[in-house]
Amino acid sequence: MTVKLSSSNLAKLPAKVAGPKYDRAALKPGIVHFGVGNFHRSHQAVYLDDLFNSGIGHDWALVGAGVFEGEKIGRAKLEEQDWLTTVVEQDSGHMSARVTGAMIDFLMPGDAAGIIERLADPAIKIVSLTITEGGYFIDPASGVFNPTHPDIVADAQPGATPKTVFGIILAGLVRRRDEGTVPFTVMSCDNIPHNGHVTSDGVIGLARLIDEDLANWVSEHVAFPNGMVDRITPATTDRERGILASEFGLEDNWPVFCEPFRQWVLEDHFTDGRPPLEKVGVQFVRDVAPYELMKIRILNGGHATIAYPAGLMDIHFVHEAMHEPLVRGFLDKLEHDEIIPTVPPVPDTVLEDYYQLIESRFSNPKIGDTVRRLCLDGSNRQPKFIIPTIADRLKAGKGVVGLALESALWCRYCFGTTDSGAVTEPNDPSWDRLQATAKAAKDAPAAWLAMEDIYGDVGRATAFVGAFAHALNVLWANGTRATLTRYLAGEL
């Protein structure tokens, strides 16, 4: 017998499943969150659940929001179970399940008027975001907000009903300004360098298209704290739902499975207060930059490093990739030779210890994280996680053999077939363009680096152009296994 997750069944949860220790009916909303996906529910929502379980912060409950039609599917799944989520932590020697209750409502995605009305409520003091790297309207090559994006231009038109996250947030801020209410803090929880600054550039950049005075007001009165977030959280499939039902006796439409590790480093910069999250493990610091650079280069860059060779070798799960000596060896050599040397010192952190932790986390056999997920959206991820490292290596006059190979592996992956000839299904918003460019690059490698919006100056650097062309030619001539073998032997 299994128990179906709902508020009415909280008192009947199976013995092995922990539930909220607080009265959810007494919670009051304090945060509107855009992007109610798996990562948010395994990270920010868990920290808040911990806080509520400790008996404090009950006026900081979450209200979900979104702008895309597709988000209605997740909303419907959560509505059926009264916005509750089961979070399952797993590693090789541990599996535990808990039901979190920090979310108390989820506004209809795309209902701009309804969301703006909630943002105008003085009780809402923080608006947070997990909208993925691609949701910030950033020009990949420059890393700067792109005010010419058609969706942004549309939101800037007089009388327009906003369709973007930034448009809706800005409309909410305008209501707060006009009604004399203290503006809310806008807090990004996405894996983007300087995510607070990037969010600020988006909101203020849109405001500038509408009214210079509005842009100045936002700049002066709204806080956009930078933060670093970390917890490996794969997508939910029937596999995860089945494990929850069989191992714990609980039915959940949309459970979250994740690793035990989590980290959140945040600037203490808020316009109208914040929950006391330091009581549940959030690190508040003056400057997040050293932490986020370490994480983005070593962890996210590490994910990119193992993703494409594993994909080309038809490896399904990330932990299986880590069991392949060529993939694990590539990660170890590239990290130590080229990535970690570009990371400046981080307070109270030994970089080698951090790398060893990353290696252990990638090897977790219980998570079920897929190689395909790591390969997803390279056109947005590579310019954030890999190409700045290449630029720093080139600036210092250092070698880029391994990083050039990583780029060549991405190019080869985007060709659309693995080494065995299996077809790779589209795995990027720009897949058609990437595939066409990868096909051209098979005979003319420079075609790949000519994607100016992705590579910028790096794509014109003689040392990198030569190393990339050589790596791609060797890949096509010999395949992934032989190429990695040559690289590990120092013969590429």
Side-chain angles (χ1 to χ4, degrees):
M1 287 291 290
T2 57
V3 174
K4 181 81 175 80
L5 183 60
S6 68
S7 286
S8 60
N9 282 340
L10 280 177
K12 307 173 196 169
L13 287 177
K16 290 196 293 183
V17 181
K21 298 173 185 165
Y22 47 90
D23 177 8
R24 291 182 73 228
L27 295 179
K28 295 177 182 174
I31 301 171
V32 169
H33 181 83
F34 286 89
V36 183
N38 278 21
F39 179 75
H40 162 71
R41 294 181 302 130
S42 80
H43 193 266
Q44 182 185 357
V46 170
Y47 280 102
L48 287 165
D49 191 65
D50 282 347
L51 188 68
F52 300 166
N53 276 334
S54 75
I56 54 178
H58 291 178
D59 52 351
W60 290 101
L62 288 158
V63 174
V67 296
F68 298 115
E69 189 72 20
E71 292 177 276
K72 291 180 180 178
I73 298 169
R75 182 189 181 277
K77 289 178 179 177
L78 293 174
E79 184 176 26
E80 270 189 43
Q81 53 202 47
D82 305 312
W83 322 120
L84 295 164
T85 290
T86 312
V87 178
V88 180
E89 295 182 2
Q90 284 187 303
D91 62 18
S92 54
H94 162 85
M95 182 161 69
S96 64
R98 64 188 282 189
V99 171
T100 64
M103 175 178 286
I104 58 172
D105 194 6
F106 192 155
L107 306 172
M108 188 59 72
D111 176 15
I115 298 171
I116 292 164
E117 189 66 34
R118 184 59 71 97
L119 296 183
D121 180 352
I124 300 302
K125 299 185 176 182
I126 295 173
V127 172
S128 53
L129 313 168
T130 46
I131 54 175
T132 77
E133 298 86 359
Y136 287 81
F137 303 96
I138 304 165
D139 173 64
S142 66
V144 173
F145 172 70
N146 175 16
T148 66
H149 191 285
D151 293 352
I152 293 296
V153 172
D155 272 7
Q157 300 310 304
T161 298
K163 298 285 199 304
T164 69
V165 169
F166 293 157
I168 291 173
I169 286 174
L170 186 61
L173 287 169
V174 168
R175 283 277 302 272
R176 304 279 281 237
R177 181 193 65 174
D178 294 349
E179 292 169 8
T181 308
V182 177
F184 46 74
T185 295
V186 183
M187 180 177 73
S188 171
C189 300
D190 275 301
N191 277 318
I192 297 177
H194 320 299
N195 57 11
H197 297 319
V198 168
T199 309
S200 162
D201 287 348
V203 176
I204 294 171
L206 174 57
R208 190 155 280 123
L209 296 177
I210 297 169
D211 175 26
E212 191 70 33
D213 288 342
L214 174 60
N216 292 336
W217 179 84
V218 174
S219 180
E220 290 168 17
H221 293 92
V222 181
F224 297 86
N226 290 301
M228 183 267 260
V229 296
D230 191 7
R231 190 172 216 183
I232 295 172
T233 310
T236 302
T237 67
D238 286 340
R239 170 186 179 272
E240 283 73 34
R241 279 182 278 269
I243 291 171
L244 181 63
S246 62
E247 296 287 329
F248 292 97
L250 187 61
E251 288 182 54
D252 184 328
N253 289 317
W254 195 16
V256 175
F257 279 56
C258 55
E259 63 176 339
F261 178 89
R262 57 182 152 117
Q263 188 176 18
W264 193 0
V265 185
L266 192 55
E267 286 176 355
D268 203 350
H269 178 45
F270 294 79
T271 48
D272 193 20
R274 61 165 177 82
L277 291 166
E278 68 277 7
K279 296 183 184 296
V280 288
V282 177
Q283 296 167 259
F284 284 95
V285 298
R286 289 176 60 87
D287 184 12
V288 172
Y291 298 90
E292 67 182 6
L293 186 67
M294 171 184 71
K295 191 254 177 173
I296 280 166
R297 294 205 173 179
I298 299 177
L299 185 144
N300 297 113
H303 265 158
T305 298
I306 64 175
Y308 300 109
L312 289 167
M313 292 158 66
D314 299 303
I315 298 172
H316 184 71
F317 286 116
V318 175
H319 68 272
E320 293 171 339
M322 292 299 288
H323 291 154
E324 164 54 61
L326 290 172
V327 175
R328 195 182 188 104
F330 180 42
L331 174 68
D332 188 78
K333 182 171 171 60
L334 180 54
E335 289 273 15
H336 286 102
D337 288 1
E338 298 179 29
I339 295 177
I340 294 172
T342 71
V343 178
V346 179
D348 306 316
T349 305
V350 177
L351 292 181
E352 178 58 27
D353 291 349
Y354 183 76
Y355 170 72
Q356 294 297 334
L357 174 64
I358 296 303
E359 196 178 65
S360 169
R361 292 168 63 196
F362 288 2
S363 303
N364 185 343
K366 294 290 187 178
I367 279 298
D369 202 5
T370 63
V371 168
R372 182 172 170 82
R373 184 186 80 88
L374 300 196
C375 292
L376 172 71
D377 204 14
S379 61
N380 275 304
R381 293 179 174 183
Q382 290 279 314
K384 298 173 182 67
F385 303 155
I386 291 290
I387 293 168
T389 307
I390 300 170
D392 281 359
R393 294 286 294 177
L394 293 170
K395 205 176 299 177
K398 304 288 188 182
V400 289
V401 173
L403 288 162
L405 175 55
E406 189 280 338
S407 254
L409 287 159
W410 177 42
C411 173
R412 170 67 186 85
Y413 175 86
C414 291
F415 186 87
T417 57
T418 69
D419 281 1
S420 72
V423 173
T424 303
E425 295 299 322
N427 202 19
D428 193 288
S430 303
W431 185 258
D432 290 346
R433 173 206 184 191
L434 293 176
Q435 189 171 34
T437 308
K439 288 181 175 179
K442 183 178 180 182
D443 298 315
W448 186 257
L449 302 184
M451 291 190 291
E452 178 78 22
D453 57 316
I454 291 175
Y455 281 96
D457 290 342
V458 162
R460 293 184 291 272
T462 305
F464 184 67
V465 171
F468 172 84
H470 176 67
L472 187 60
N473 288 335
V474 172
L475 267 175
W476 275 116
N478 302 284
T480 302
R481 285 187 175 277
T483 305
L484 290 178
T485 300
R486 284 176 61 168
Y487 170 73
L488 293 177
E491 296 171 359
L492 184 63

